[in-house]
Amino acid sequence: ALGVTPTFAPTRRAITNGATLRPELDQWREYNVLRGDLDKATLKRFFSARPQTIAARFIQIASTLYTAQSEWDASGGLREGEKSAEFDPTKDSRDEPPSDGRGARLCERLASLGPVSVKIAQTLSQRPDLVGDEAATALKRLQTSNVPFDDALAWAVIKESFNHSGPIAPGIGVDARDRPGVMPLFAQISAKPVAVASLGQVYRATTKEGVEVAVKVQRPDAMAILAKDYMCFVLAFSLVELRWKLLSSGFDNGDVGSVIDRVATDILNELDYRKEAANGRLFEASLAFLGFVSTPVVLPSYSSSRVLVTEWVQGQHLDKLQPAEGLLMTRMAVEACTASLVLTGFVHADPHEGNLMLADDGRLVFLDFGTHAA
């Protein structure tokens, strides 16, 4: 792995019981009972007492997707298949500043629906055969740039995860509920996230021991949105199945429902950062024979199911590399992914450009092990 695993052992530990609950997170707390096992029977019992919640989510999703489609189709009076003037296939849209073009509006609409929608959009960004070149290119923005949630909520998640009642860092995350004299968790931390993903956002920080780290904090509403969206898909597909049975038509061979279940299960697993940490270690060990694959070092004493702290990777993503370095990174990535598919069977299930880096020491670094296949 990059660097050396720290030998320090802070006395604080991630906790699951006896925590000082943060009132900022109360509106999503009832969904925590679903974290262990997201089966359909449990969901139906849970939402049978909350039918208005599912109805409201159905309406929100439908209206947002309708608006997104209308805005895309109405842009500049383009005919079907035509591309707008803003589309440039030679550009990498991921680091472009916000604009008012139809690609930016599409990303904004889909991101507003939350992590499940963003996950689907990230997948579609790799499938121009399904959504077209322009839409696929536009959706690449969501690989590294998403709508951030409020920093105060991120500080609340960290404090509740570690039963901490002091500042996050000097001058950061200070609030009226802090107890006098409690030391900060970190020596310093960025006031704003340096990266925003579908399920969380990342801050750059330095531990008291002087280790530069990435602090990934889970969205407080992630479990709630996953549960509601999964239930919406289950109910919608149940209606579609009923229609197929009544009309003796349809193409389902029994796999569509299982795909919905698998996607929801995979996202549920992503909500436990302890599993992600374990997946990263196993993936690196499985490809150790290649000699160039690495994953960020996890700091277990600073991590929990909702907060993941890893050493900061000194390196660059593909779009920041010179052509020769980019070609080298691409060859390494192809070899590593092929080896994992053919030889080890332990596969990174989301190896888009945002989850790969070329370290300054020449190693290929895989990020984000929330989803994997074994």
Side-chain angles (χ1 to χ4, degrees):
L2 294 176
V4 179
T5 303
T7 57
F8 57 86
T11 56
R12 53 188 170 276
R13 289 290 185 270
I15 57 171
T16 55
N17 297 306
T20 300
L21 301 181
R22 303 291 303 191
E24 305 97 312
L25 309 179
D26 285 347
Q27 60 181 304
W28 304 291
R29 203 171 302 286
E30 62 181 330
Y31 292 91
N32 286 339
V33 298
L34 301 174
R35 282 186 177 269
D37 186 10
L38 202 62
D39 65 279
K40 294 177 185 176
T42 301
L43 273 180
K44 289 177 180 178
R45 286 195 301 270
F46 182 84
F47 284 112
S48 63
R50 303 166 178 85
Q52 70 283 355
T53 300
I54 294 301
R57 185 60 176 170
F58 256 122
I59 294 171
Q60 181 187 13
I61 292 173
S63 62
T64 300
L65 293 181
Y66 177 80
T67 300
Q69 182 70 60
S70 299
E71 289 176 342
W72 182 267
D73 292 340
S75 297
L78 296 171
R79 293 189 295 272
E80 184 176 356
E82 288 185 333
K83 297 177 173 62
S84 66
E86 70 181 273
F87 174 60
D88 183 350
T90 66
K91 278 186 176 181
D92 192 321
S93 64
R94 285 172 294 175
D95 295 318
E96 284 188 356
S99 66
D100 59 356
R102 70 175 185 172
R105 289 195 296 272
L106 175 65
C107 290
E108 182 181 352
R109 296 295 183 189
L110 294 179
S112 71
L113 290 175
V116 176
S117 173
V118 170
K119 284 290 181 185
I120 294 172
Q122 288 174 341
T123 301
L124 293 177
S125 73
Q126 306 296 314
R127 297 298 304 272
D129 57 315
L130 296 180
V131 298
D133 293 335
E134 185 174 358
T137 299
L139 292 175
K140 286 182 181 295
R141 291 183 176 96
L142 296 179
Q143 291 180 359
T144 55
S145 300
N146 290 280
V147 178
F149 59 92
D150 193 282
D151 297 303
L153 292 176
W155 310 145
V157 170
I158 294 175
K159 290 184 178 185
E160 185 171 292
S161 294
F162 296 99
N163 201 20
H164 182 67
S165 55
I168 302 298
I172 302 292
V174 180
D175 63 53
R177 301 181 78 243
D178 290 342
R179 294 203 310 267
V182 176
M183 298 296 293
L185 282 172
F186 297 97
Q188 63 181 43
I189 192 170
S190 57
K192 296 292 181 181
V194 297
V196 182
S198 55
L199 296 174
Q201 55 198 37
V202 178
Y203 296 85
R204 190 169 185 170
T206 303
T207 69
K208 293 180 180 180
E209 295 77 18
V211 180
E212 195 171 10
V213 296
V215 181
K216 182 161 75 168
V217 185
Q218 190 175 115
R219 297 185 63 93
D221 61 349
M223 186 66 243
I225 292 177
L226 170 59
K228 288 185 284 187
D229 286 2
Y230 182 31
M231 194 71 250
C232 285
F233 273 111
V234 168
L235 293 177
F237 185 63
S238 297
L239 294 176
V240 171
E241 279 190 312
L242 178 61
R243 181 177 182 274
W244 287 343
K245 290 177 181 178
L246 293 175
L247 298 179
S248 299
S249 63
F251 63 87
D252 181 32
N253 62 0
D255 289 339
V256 177
S258 64
V259 168
I260 295 173
D261 296 341
R262 178 58 188 267
V263 170
T265 300
D266 285 346
I267 296 178
L268 179 64
N269 287 332
E270 286 193 67
L271 297 183
D272 189 342
Y273 286 169
R274 294 167 298 192
K275 291 182 179 179
E276 178 175 342
N279 291 340
R281 290 192 295 270
L282 290 172
F283 182 82
E284 181 175 342
S286 72
L287 294 178
F289 64 92
L290 292 178
F292 58 78
V293 173
S294 187
T295 61
V297 173
V298 175
L299 278 63
S301 297
Y302 283 88
S303 301
S304 71
S305 62
R306 294 186 294 168
V307 180
L308 181 64
V309 178
T310 62
E311 286 190 0
W312 188 264
V313 177
Q314 304 295 337
Q316 300 292 340
H317 288 284
L318 181 62
D319 61 307
K320 300 297 184 182
L321 297 174
Q322 295 298 316
E325 293 178 313
L327 181 59
L328 172 63
M329 177 181 174
T330 300
R331 287 173 173 167
M332 293 166 68
V334 170
E335 184 175 354
C337 290
T338 302
S340 66
L341 281 168
V342 177
L343 299 177
T344 71
F346 196 88
V347 180
H348 190 302
D350 195 20
H352 60 70
E353 299 97 314
N355 284 339
L356 293 168
M357 295 182 70
L358 184 65
D360 292 344
D361 65 2
R363 294 170 68 83
L364 179 68
V365 184
F366 282 81
L367 311 173
D368 192 353
F369 286 86
T371 53
H372 74 288

